């Protein structure tokens, strides 16, 4: 089980390689943006951006997920490049729309982490649509770097306000303790760990100004 962005940008593209390497292993990939109990739902491995407090589950760290602010060169050329949190308020910011409303941005302020209410004419409930909005020059978005690494490497998006980035979050694999010895679970965990390691560092081709 994987959150939608991890499935779209990391796990999904690598599945052909995994299935070719392990022809005797089958995968049922469930994609959900909510926390589940792997024991109750009969799931072998859960990927998420939080550890577990359940003593019957193991949390294996896979990677650090950097949260960044990005915009297209066209947007920055037309509207300028924000340099401070105060100047960010003057820009068009596109929020991710969850079931409970627009998600505030987590940013690093002088006294620690702060939240920023992104407001604009557009809010979207899809990471893919959010990225396309930024690519289309519609405004600034906050996203995990692995969502947009290829766009950064091609210069289609640029990182801004890096000094406001919050501490990276950690991607965990959660599984029942006894399943760590199950061959199909072990090879999948090792493959996913290898996959994330091969993507580091995630900051590919970003521009600093």
């Amino acid at each position: 089980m994987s959150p939608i962005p991890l499935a779209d940008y990391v796990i999904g593209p690598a599945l052909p390689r995994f299935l070719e390497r392990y022809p005797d292993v089958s995968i049922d990939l469930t994609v959900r943006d909510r926390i589940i109990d792997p024991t109750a739902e009969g799931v072998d491995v859960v990927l998420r951006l939080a550890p577990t407090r359940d003593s019957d589950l193991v949390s294996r760290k896979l990677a650090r997920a950097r949260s960044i602010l990005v915009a297209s060169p066209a947007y920055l050329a037309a509207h300028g490049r924000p340099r401070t949190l105060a100047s960010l308020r003057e820009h068009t910011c596109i929020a991710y729309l969850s079931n409970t409303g627009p998600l505030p941005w987590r940013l690093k302020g002088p006294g620690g982490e702060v939240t920023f209410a992104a407001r604009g004419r557009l809010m979207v409930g899809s990471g893919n649509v959010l990225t396309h909005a930024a690519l289309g020059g519609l405004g600034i978005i906050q996203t995990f770097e692995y969502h947009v690494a290829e766009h950064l490497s091609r210069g289609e998006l640029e990182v801004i306000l890096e000094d406001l980035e919050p501490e990276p979050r950690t991607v965990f694999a959660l599984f029942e303790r006894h399943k760590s010895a199950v061959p199909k679970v072990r090879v999948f965990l090792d493959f996913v760990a290898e996959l994330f390691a091969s993507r580091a560092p995630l900051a590919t081709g970003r521009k600093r100004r």
Side-chain angles (χ1 to χ4, degrees):
M1 184 270 183
S2 169
I4 294 172
L6 281 177
D8 285 348
Y9 294 97
V10 182
I11 305 300
L15 285 180
R17 183 152 41 101
F18 176 84
L19 293 172
E20 181 178 2
R21 184 184 299 183
Y22 302 104
D24 296 329
V25 178
S26 298
I27 291 181
D28 296 333
L29 179 62
T30 302
V31 181
R32 297 177 187 167
D33 272 342
R34 66 177 179 85
I35 294 176
I36 72 165
D37 179 349
T39 303
E41 301 204 22
V43 175
D44 290 323
V45 179
V46 171
L47 302 181
R48 75 182 192 198
L49 291 163
T52 179
R53 297 179 181 178
D54 188 333
S55 60
D56 293 329
L57 298 177
V58 176
S59 296
R60 177 172 173 177
K61 293 182 181 180
L62 297 175
R64 301 282 274 170
R66 178 181 173 223
S67 182
I68 56 177
L69 299 179
V70 299
S72 70
Y75 174 87
L76 296 174
H79 302 280
R81 180 179 294 265
R83 304 288 181 182
T84 64
L85 180 59
S87 65
L88 184 62
R89 301 182 191 281
E90 301 172 4
H91 283 261
T92 301
C93 299
I94 308 170
Y96 182 88
L97 186 61
S98 72
N99 292 334
T100 58
L103 293 182
W105 291 356
R106 298 167 56 249
L107 299 171
K108 182 174 65 178
E113 189 171 285
V114 298
T115 58
F116 176 83
R119 291 290 185 269
R121 294 174 55 206
L122 176 65
M123 295 185 291
V124 298
S126 161
N128 282 330
V129 176
L130 198 68
T131 299
H132 285 300
L135 289 169
L138 296 182
I140 299 168
I141 66 171
Q142 184 180 61
T143 186
F144 286 112
E145 187 173 21
Y146 60 75
H147 292 193
V148 293
E150 292 186 6
H151 299 298
L152 293 173
S153 68
R154 293 195 293 261
E156 297 166 346
L157 293 173
E158 298 182 17
V159 180
I160 60 173
L161 292 171
E162 293 176 87
D163 57 325
L164 294 182
E165 290 175 17
E167 287 298 315
R169 297 175 69 184
T170 302
V171 181
F172 291 91
L174 308 183
F175 50 94
E176 293 176 89
R177 192 172 302 277
H178 71 275
K179 288 189 175 180
S180 61
V182 177
K184 67 176 182 179
V185 174
R186 186 177 66 251
V187 297
F188 180 75
L189 289 169
D190 290 344
F191 181 83
V192 173
E194 172 191 314
L195 180 60
F196 276 104
S198 70
R199 297 175 64 87
L202 292 174
T204 305
R206 70 175 185 256
K207 296 184 178 182
R208 294 178 181 270
R209 293 184 184 178

